[in-house]
Amino acid sequence: MKEWQGKRYWLVGASEGLGRAVAHRLSRVGAEVIVSARSEDRLKELVAELPGKASYIKVDVTDRAAVEAAAKEAGELDGVVYLAGVYWPMKASAWDNEKADLMGEINYLGASRVVGAVIGDMIKRDRGHIVLTGSLSGFRGLPGAIGYSASKAGVMALAESMQADLHRSNIQVQVINPGFIKTRLTEKNDFTMPFIMSPDDAAREVFEHMNGDSFKKSFPMIFSWVFRLSQFMPDWLYYRLFGAR
């Protein structure tokens, strides 16, 4: 169990859904929360809702200079949680370059820009906590997930590379890989979403992970086994089971 009282955490992608729920969790245990997203109105509303010390910094993670300026404004941090993400269902036969680019820009490159803006100070102090958001869809390519699966796989590999470099330091790296969460993003899906979670339930899973020392958490647990075990399937079996019908 970590001591959260007075710790300063920057949450990027906190205006809606899971990010908003995680901000409430951290604020309730005494952490000072700095929240960021593109919607200033929603950030103001969130800061007003939070029970503890809180502030906001509007930022567009597709703009590296803006990310670096926001990190400088946030100041010395104990931790950063990257929760920003966009999603559109997309098949290879209906490729949309604009949307595919945005999923890469926000889901993966945004995470890289935020980490790059804070990691130098954490290394200098030999102290910090970085949490990135992957997805169960990042374990292996899925039908109708052009852009999204690839961007989340990139985040997961980024976290793994950081862990490989930093596991002997006092900088803790963690990655969360959620399944379906009931948000504006999943409302775009026209298929049944097994084990779909509310943002509050998912935030509880995230906070429990942040409270511990382990590197990776994939949830819901039973649903995550399907994706983790799929990595060991031969291609012919995997695409027969999971490929488009």
Side-chain angles (χ1 to χ4, degrees), residues 14 62 84 88 98 108 137 142 144 153 178 207 245:
T62 66
W88 291 273
E98 182 180 3
Y108 170 70
S137 69
L142 293 166
F207 182 67
R245 298 292 187 266

Side-chain angles (χ1 to χ4, degrees), residues 135-150:
S135 168
L136 295 185
S137 69
F139 279 103
R140 199 159 180 179
L142 293 166
I146 294 297
Y148 190 75
S149 280

Side-chain angles (χ1 to χ4, degrees), residues 56-118:
Y56 75 88
I57 303 170
K58 182 181 175 183
V59 69
D60 180 352
V61 298
T62 66
D63 183 335
R64 181 165 54 86
V67 169
E68 291 172 352
K72 186 174 182 180
E73 183 178 345
E76 188 173 297
L77 299 164
D78 294 291
V80 174
V81 188
Y82 191 83
L83 299 138
V86 293
Y87 163 72
W88 291 273
M90 190 186 302
K91 296 180 180 180
S93 57
W95 202 294
D96 183 322
N97 258 347
E98 182 180 3
K99 291 176 179 176
D101 280 2
L102 279 171
M103 285 187 272
E105 280 279 352
I106 294 172
N107 300 353
Y108 170 70
L109 287 176
S112 177
R113 292 180 185 114
V114 168
V115 171
V118 301

Side-chain angles (χ1 to χ4, degrees), residues 5-28:
Q5 193 69 37
K7 296 296 174 68
R8 303 186 75 245
Y9 271 71
W10 184 24
L11 275 62
V12 181
S15 62
E16 303 289 345
L18 177 60
R20 199 176 189 93
V22 171
H24 276 276
R25 288 265 170 183
L26 288 177
S27 185
R28 286 200 296 268

Side-chain angles (χ1 to χ4, degrees), residues 116-162:
V118 301
I119 193 71
D121 184 61
M122 288 184 178
I123 289 171
K124 188 183 302 182
R125 292 184 287 120
D126 191 30
R127 181 170 60 85
H129 185 192
I130 297 172
V131 184
L132 300 180
T133 306
S135 168
L136 295 185
S137 69
F139 279 103
R140 199 159 180 179
L142 293 166
I146 294 297
Y148 190 75
S149 280
S151 65
K152 289 300 186 177
V155 172
M156 293 157 71
L158 174 64
E160 289 166 358
S161 293
M162 290 168 58

